Amino acid sequence: MSLDASKPGGGPSAGPLPSRPAIPPGDRATYPSHEGPILRVRQLQASYAGNLALDLTALDLAAGEVVGVVGANGAGKSTLVNALLGWSRGAPRLAGQVELGGVRIDAWPTHQRVRAGLLLVPEGKLVFAQMNVEENLSRSQEPPTEPGRHLYSRDEVYDLFPRLKERRQHLGAQLSGGERQMLGIGRALMMGPKALLLDEPSIGLAPKLVDQVLQTLRTLASAGLAILLVEQNVRAAMEVVDRLVLIERGRMVLEGPAQTVGNDPRIAEAYLGATAGAHPTP
Amino acid sequence: MNLLQQVLNGLVMGHAYALVAIGWTLLLGVARLVNFGHGQMYMLGAFVTWWAVVKAGVPYALAVPIAMACGALLGAGMQRVMLRATFEQNLVSIMIMTLGFGYVIHGAAALVFGSTGQILDTALSRQEITLGELWITAQDLAIVVATIAVFLGLRWLLDGTRIGRLVRMVAEDPKLAQLSGVDVRRVYYGVFAFEGAAVAFAAGMVAPRTPILTSMGFDEVIMTFVVVVFGGIGSVKGSYVAGVALGLFTALFGALVSPAYTTAAAFLALIALLVLRPGGLSAGAAGGVH
């Protein structure tokens, strides 16, 4: 997790950035309210054993915006969202600059980034199987209270996903794929995300559930949350995203409003054509 | 010697086994760590208690907490050294390192405390309780009471507190715990400090039953290993049951068959159990600490 810390700021255009604190803030820290993108990524690189898996020049994510990240298997989509948190089940070498709400966080350990409001709903295992729904929906730590940051309560999560309330005494291991996805999102919301990253939330879900989960994201975004959505199911993603980013071999090759990018042959042929009518079935 | 007295001895011994093993149970369940320095940490706990009582004139009730504090510091220090290997779950390195720590602790203790045997005499161990033909010391009774208290306390800590929930999160999936905002490193430090304090507490309680030597520790680490595996890795309740069962088995086998083959017989039983129930007594729950 050693990141390039020698360059302070790196020439920001929108006024001087607060200098990166040498140590992560404690629980009581507050952040300066910030104009501009919630999440600002520059020159982000991740490599496994010397092979560059991700080389991203720039990516911004604004409040209330849903950005979709699409690309083939192994293109580096998961590597991207994981690198933003300095998190991985493997161990890539990371370099680059990540700012959350104007504060550089790229040298912080994962749990500090989470407490600061960068939340990831990972692919694969995303709930604690040996804990029930209610325990899964308990905060590990009280995040700092800041203006404009909403910490969802357990009841608010239940309002969003009534199914979880019905299942609240069930263990994580007993939940269906869709319920796990809801629980993963619910857990993230309870930490009061400023930016929410989701890695393939539709994988293995029935089409109806996919729509439900994606629509929920849309609702959350309209309440001001910034969302970065990694999705294989480009057709479904197109319905909810504002912007679309195409990643190939770790590089961003296309970026723009969903409608415009959707008409680009690189997306239309490779993803929409190929996946037409090919929704995954449970 | 009648059978009932043997059962009583077995119960006391069994609680002692369980108490000595509790730190490792948590360590194994939460951080997947084996600590082959466990026996020497037990030895050190016994000698710090002895030193505090005999040399420094501290009352026994205060000497045990002092030993626990030393144990916790030592545990946290060991974890500091092994932190990277812990995160990478490099189990072979960890085994070698803990084994190495065991020898270092042994050497250092021999240097400081000498290699002659000592007796840790407490007011409780001189007090005898007789009930008809049966006989135990107040120290034995204290071991049983303390063990039950520690196990109930740990259960409550794991199930009923926020700290316990963090520990269970890390036990199940440290990576997912990080994404929930848990400082996994701190939990690892915590469980190793607990291991150190718990084994020192056990030593302070159990060591007065026998003479203490700086060369001891092997029996303790082996018996702990048996208890922890028997009980099911990471199972608090399982290791209590396994400890008491092992104590009864040892006492009865020793009395009825032969004390010379007790350890061999215990391992035979363990091997048989592992063949029949690979997860130990509390098999069923997958991984983690419970």
Side-chain angles (χ1 to χ4, degrees):
Chain A
M1 254 183 277
S2 70
L3 296 184
D4 180 12
S6 56
K7 290 180 291 184
S13 52
L17 286 167
S19 59
R20 191 170 58 80
I23 47 163
D27 298 342
R28 293 269 144 242
T30 54
Y31 301 90
S33 60
H34 178 71
E35 302 291 320
I38 291 288
L39 188 67
R40 186 173 180 278
V41 185
R42 294 293 179 271
Q43 312 297 345
L44 186 65
Q45 293 188 331
S47 49
Y48 292 90
N51 298 316
L52 205 56
L54 180 72
D55 187 4
L56 192 79
T57 316
L59 179 67
D60 286 342
L61 190 62
E65 188 182 33
V66 182
V67 173
V69 178
V70 298
N73 262 335
K77 305 187 298 295
S78 294
T79 305
L80 164 62
V81 285
N82 292 348
L84 292 175
L85 276 135
W87 182 87
S88 170
R89 291 199 187 261
R93 285 187 63 83
L94 302 175
Q97 189 177 332
V98 180
E99 279 171 28
L100 182 70
V103 180
R104 272 194 74 169
I105 60 169
D106 46 61
W108 296 5
T110 301
H111 68 274
Q112 290 284 11
R113 304 189 202 198
V114 169
R115 290 177 196 175
L118 184 61
L119 271 292
L120 168 65
V121 182
E123 194 198 338
K125 188 170 186 303
L126 44 75
V127 302
F128 289 99
Q130 293 168 35
M131 294 184 178
N132 66 20
V133 169
E134 213 160 276
E135 260 196 308
N136 265 287
L137 290 175
S138 305
R139 286 189 199 102
S140 63
Q141 187 91 28
E142 287 302 315
T145 47
E146 304 165 58
R149 182 171 178 185
H150 179 61
L151 306 183
Y152 281 71
S153 68
R154 191 186 285 153
D155 285 335
E156 284 174 309
V157 172
Y158 286 154
D159 287 343
L160 206 57
F161 300 113
R163 182 71 184 139
L164 291 181
K165 190 172 187 180
E166 293 166 29
R167 304 276 272 164
R168 64 184 181 277
Q169 296 300 338
H170 287 74
L171 293 180
Q174 299 168 312
L175 302 183
S176 72
E179 289 162 349
R180 285 177 203 211
Q181 201 56 245
M182 295 173 196
L183 187 52
I185 295 171
R187 272 165 26 115
L189 291 176
M190 289 188 65
M191 288 300 282
K194 292 175 178 169
L196 180 63
L197 320 175
L198 299 106
D199 195 354
E200 308 263 8
S202 75
I203 209 161
L205 300 193
K208 210 174 141 190
L209 266 174
V210 173
D211 288 342
Q212 196 196 328
V213 167
L214 294 182
Q215 283 312 320
T216 306
L217 297 181
R218 194 65 253 179
T219 312
L220 293 169
S222 58
L225 187 59
I227 296 178
L228 190 67
L229 172 68
V230 169
E231 214 15 288
Q232 287 266 20
N233 190 338
V234 179
R235 185 170 291 274
M238 294 279 284
E239 309 266 319
V240 294
V241 300
D242 301 303
R243 274 195 297 142
L244 209 56
V245 168
L246 174 64
I247 292 189
E248 277 177 7
R249 293 198 198 89
R251 290 167 196 275
M252 190 191 291
V253 293
L254 198 60
E255 186 203 0
Q259 296 86 346
T260 327
V261 174
N263 292 328
D264 189 285
R266 279 172 290 187
I267 294 268
E269 281 167 29
Y271 298 98
L272 297 178
T275 56
H279 280 294
T281 44
Chain B
M1 279 225 231
N2 66 39
L3 195 67
L4 218 52
Q5 180 66 47
Q6 286 306 333
V7 170
L8 194 61
N9 290 350
L11 279 176
V12 172
M13 216 166 8
H15 280 80
Y17 287 146
L19 189 61
V20 173
I22 187 63
W24 198 352
T25 298
L26 197 70
L27 194 61
L28 196 58
V30 176
R32 310 278 185 280
L33 293 184
V34 291
N35 175 16
F36 286 122
H38 185 82
Q40 280 75 30
M41 288 171 85
Y42 173 87
M43 176 276 294
L44 191 69
F47 267 92
V48 171
T49 312
W50 168 81
W51 178 87
V53 170
V54 176
K55 299 285 176 186
V58 171
Y60 174 65
L62 197 64
V64 173
I66 289 173
M68 287 169 71
C70 292
L73 275 177
L74 178 66
M78 285 169 69
Q79 180 64 90
R80 176 70 198 87
V81 175
M82 299 188 295
L83 199 59
R84 197 193 174 95
T86 305
F87 269 100
E88 291 168 359
Q89 288 288 291
N90 188 342
L91 298 184
V92 175
S93 290
I94 288 166
M95 271 189 248
I96 302 292
M97 281 195 269
T98 56
L99 201 61
F101 272 118
Y103 278 102
V104 172
I105 295 167
H106 175 201
L111 217 60
V112 175
F113 301 111
S115 47
T116 43
Q118 305 289 353
I119 302 282
L120 175 57
D121 215 8
T122 72
L124 292 174
S125 55
R126 284 188 298 268
Q127 242 174 65
E128 291 172 8
I129 302 169
T130 49
L131 203 88
E133 298 225 318
L134 302 178
W135 168 95
I136 58 169
T137 66
Q139 185 76 33
D140 293 344
L141 191 64
I143 289 170
V144 174
V145 171
T147 304
I148 292 171
V150 166
F151 272 79
L152 289 179
L154 185 61
R155 264 266 65 105
W156 169 79
L157 187 79
L158 285 173
D159 291 338
T161 69
R162 190 184 71 90
I163 304 261
R165 199 175 67 237
L166 300 190
V167 169
R168 281 183 294 132
M169 286 165 90
V170 173
E172 184 180 327
D173 188 341
K175 284 288 177 185
L176 194 57
Q178 284 179 335
L179 286 186
S180 310
V182 178
D183 188 348
V184 173
R185 207 181 34 164
R186 222 195 243 182
V187 172
Y188 284 157
Y189 275 124
V191 288
F192 221 124
F194 175 85
E195 146 80 344
V199 76
F201 176 71
M205 295 300 295
V206 178
R209 301 186 85 225
T210 51
I212 55 173
L213 280 163
T214 48
S215 59
M216 72 182 180
F218 185 72
D219 283 349
E220 283 75 13
V221 78
I222 290 300
M223 283 312 182
T224 294
F225 205 58
V226 173
V227 167
V228 169
V229 176
F230 225 132
I233 285 165
S235 171
V236 173
K237 197 163 94 189
S239 64
Y240 175 78
V241 173
V244 174
L246 182 67
L248 287 171
F249 179 84
T250 308
L252 294 178
F253 191 91
L256 302 175
V257 187
S258 159
Y261 304 114
T262 312
T263 309
F267 267 95
L268 265 182
L270 178 69
I271 291 166
L273 179 95
L274 288 180
V275 170
L276 297 173
R277 286 177 73 102
L281 284 180
S282 72
V289 59
H290 44 93

